[in-house]
Amino acid sequence: MFENIEMMFKLKKAWGTFSKNHPGVAGFFGQVGRRGIGEGAVLDMKISYPDGTHLETNMRVNQEDLELVQMLRELAAKQQKK
């Protein structure tokens, strides 16, 4: 139990630092969390490396993706109860 509380404090501190360093990204995550991601939404991802190369992809969210996310949420909730 104590380990979970300690980890929660570490995560809270790390999130605070992340939010301070990257306010736009933290705000984006907050908006997505409030609105959610539904079937048919398109996720675009791009990574730009310091050497100038880029990797890009996207995906259209389908029902199976949403089911996977729900399973992961349930698993995380069970782990928190331990």
Side-chain angles (χ1 to χ4, degrees):
M1 180 72 173
F2 179 72
E3 292 173 8
N4 288 339
I5 293 171
E6 186 177 340
M7 181 57 73
M8 286 173 39
F9 283 119
K10 286 181 181 179
L11 285 171
K12 185 176 181 350
K13 182 179 179 186
W15 179 253
T17 301
F18 182 87
S19 296
K20 181 181 171 190
N21 291 339
H22 312 287
V25 176
F28 174 80
F29 287 153
Q31 288 179 330
V32 171
R34 285 186 293 280
R35 183 168 179 175
I37 299 175
E39 188 171 2
V42 176
L43 303 178
D44 291 309
M45 296 165 269
K46 178 180 177 181
I47 302 291
S48 298
Y49 291 96
D51 68 2
T53 60
H54 305 279
L55 296 175
E56 296 181 56
T57 192
N58 63 52
M59 63 175 270
R60 184 171 305 276
V61 177
N62 61 37
Q63 186 59 40
E64 290 84 7
D65 301 326
L66 298 174
E67 290 169 6
L68 172 61
V69 169
Q70 183 59 36
M71 286 190 286
L72 292 171
R73 284 181 178 157
E74 291 170 6
L75 180 62
K78 286 180 185 177
Q79 291 297 316
Q80 275 190 329
K81 289 180 183 179
K82 287 184 176 183

